[in-house]
Amino acid sequence: MIYGQELIDELYQKRILPKDKLIALLQAQNPELDAYLFSISQRIAIEQFGRRIYTRGLIEFTNYCKNNCYYCGIRRDNRHVQRYRLTTEQILNCCRQGYQLGFRTFVLQGGEDPYFTDQRMEEIIRQIKGEFPDCALTLSIGEKSRDSYQRLFDAGANRYLLRHETANDAHYAQLHPPELSLANRKRCLWDLKAIGYQVGCGFMVGSPGQTPETLAEDLLFIHELAPQMIGIGPFLHHQQTPFAQQPDGSMELTLFLIGLLRLMIPNALIPSTTALATIHPRGRELGILAGANVVMPNLSPTDVRAQYTLYDNKACTGEEAAESWAQLQKQMHSIGYCLAVDRGDFKPEVHGTQQK
């Protein structure tokens, strides 16, 4: 038996392990154990979703941000960024282009930009939902009050992505300035769940200060929150941040964690991220083979994509637009999958055959 295999078997059966066993499992990661894990996690993903990969059309509508997170390329104090905001009509044009291709979920992602007040966001949401009533709308616009989240939900938003980044207070303080707190980030996630959003959390793999202990705490928090979506990707440095000299995260550990998360929450919506595609030419495909089931190609106008750089050398800033659908389909076909024309909502778990 491979060292660590019994821990994977136990996680598969119980959906969670005590912290000490999670640490031991993370420390046991190696290519042989990866292969064993992926043989299970990929099968689980196929049981839940078939070989259909959900697509989300990503619209990066503002790169202004009031925050100064130490890892982020669009942080407030980065004076090298050419800032932009898309108009409502530009956002709608992105949706129109995506809808023609087959996208049935749009993701509005941006920095925490005070210009986009609740009232402005409500109007944008209503216009998108009015023109595309059969589509789901996901927001990824940071920390807000519960009242603000409720207003945006009432306007028609369906899902909300908010990476928790780390479930350890001391580690959170290593990544963020003092005015940001893990307690408030968690409050936001619990508020979003209580309101009725499909909620996504997640973290960077290999962020400065991360340890097997903090990763185990991330997995325990995700188990407690039980989100519908989980977004993880390797930490990638940006040259105009305090972490410019920090090493990038590991693709291998990222894939291993995708596999573990698939065992923990079999029906979770887990993207194979652009960060994976950035760190390795076949990173997106490898993410699917590890158990991911979502891809998020970029629908933003080509003239602003290069300005939305959270990290250096971001993949596909110049080409990943409408024409990328065919390229993505080709990539998925190469590993035996296809893109789905579907909202890709979170669904109850499909109970397939057990491992043993």
Side-chain angles (χ1 to χ4, degrees), residues 25-314:
L25 179 53
L26 291 163
Q27 291 174 329
Q29 187 251 324
N30 63 58
E32 197 175 13
L33 191 61
D34 290 350
Y36 180 73
L37 171 62
F38 300 156
S39 71
I40 302 169
S41 59
Q42 185 187 15
R43 192 195 72 234
I44 292 171
I46 292 170
E47 285 176 354
Q48 298 298 319
F49 309 102
R51 292 183 174 271
R52 301 168 70 247
I53 302 303
Y54 295 140
T55 54
R56 279 73 167 104
L58 183 63
I59 303 168
E60 297 162 335
F61 70 103
T62 174
N63 70 347
Y64 283 85
C65 191
K66 67 180 183 182
N67 293 331
N68 221 14
C69 303
Y70 303 145
Y71 49 82
C72 184
I74 62 169
R75 63 198 305 266
R76 183 186 68 228
D77 286 356
N78 184 1
R79 308 301 180 197
H80 300 275
V81 177
Q82 182 180 337
R83 304 288 177 173
Y84 73 88
R85 295 182 178 109
L86 299 186
T87 65
T88 301
E89 188 60 23
Q90 285 176 305
I91 292 170
L92 287 167
N93 281 335
C94 294
C95 295
R96 291 165 187 145
Q97 183 183 40
Y99 191 88
Q100 290 297 316
L101 280 161
F103 290 95
R104 295 298 179 266
T105 290
F106 303 118
V107 181
L108 292 185
Q109 183 179 86
E112 292 194 24
D113 183 351
Y115 172 82
F116 285 99
T117 60
D118 291 347
Q119 185 175 349
R120 283 194 171 106
M121 289 306 303
E122 286 173 309
E123 180 58 28
I124 292 168
I125 291 166
R126 289 195 179 102
Q127 289 204 44
I128 292 173
K129 296 294 284 192
E131 189 166 342
F132 306 100
D134 56 332
C135 292
L137 181 60
T138 303
L139 302 179
S140 182
I141 51 178
E143 297 181 3
K144 293 183 175 292
S145 69
R146 177 163 179 157
D147 286 346
S148 292
Y149 288 144
Q150 186 69 58
R151 287 180 63 175
L152 302 180
F153 185 78
D154 292 343
N158 308 101
R159 307 172 185 155
Y160 206 102
L161 304 176
L162 183 66
R163 284 189 173 186
H164 66 279
E165 298 303 359
T166 174
N168 179 280
D169 282 293
H171 187 212
Y172 198 90
Q174 289 180 262
L175 303 176
H176 302 91
E179 62 268 21
L180 298 178
S181 73
L182 177 58
N184 192 57
R185 184 63 62 105
K186 286 184 174 180
R187 187 272 307 165
C188 290
L189 286 164
W190 288 113
D191 283 351
L192 289 161
K193 280 211 80 175
I195 289 167
Y197 285 92
Q198 292 183 36
V199 175
C201 67
F203 54 88
M204 297 173 292
V205 178
S207 61
Q210 190 177 75
T211 65
E213 288 77 12
T214 64
L215 279 172
E217 291 176 39
D218 285 323
L219 296 177
L220 289 166
F221 172 68
I222 288 171
H223 176 74
E224 177 189 9
L225 181 67
Q228 289 85 7
M229 304 172 285
I230 311 166
I232 68 169
F235 163 77
L236 299 174
H237 71 276
H238 190 287
Q239 60 189 335
Q240 274 108 33
T241 69
F243 291 158
Q245 302 306 314
Q246 295 292 326
D248 290 338
S250 158
M251 180 186 74
E252 291 75 18
L253 182 55
T254 303
L255 296 173
F256 190 73
L257 284 158
I258 287 174
L260 296 182
L261 290 164
R262 178 59 66 203
L263 268 60
M264 287 172 54
I265 308 180
N267 55 337
L269 300 162
I270 303 177
S272 188
T273 61
T274 302
L276 269 175
T278 298
I279 207 169
H280 189 280
R282 295 188 68 248
R284 186 176 276 122
E285 295 97 311
L286 293 171
I288 299 299
L289 295 174
N293 71 305
V294 174
V295 292
M296 297 175 64
N298 199 332
L299 290 175
S300 306
T302 53
D303 60 345
V304 302
R305 280 191 216 143
Q307 308 310 321
Y308 200 91
T309 49
L310 308 184
Y311 46 81
D312 287 345
N313 304 313
K314 181 178 174 184

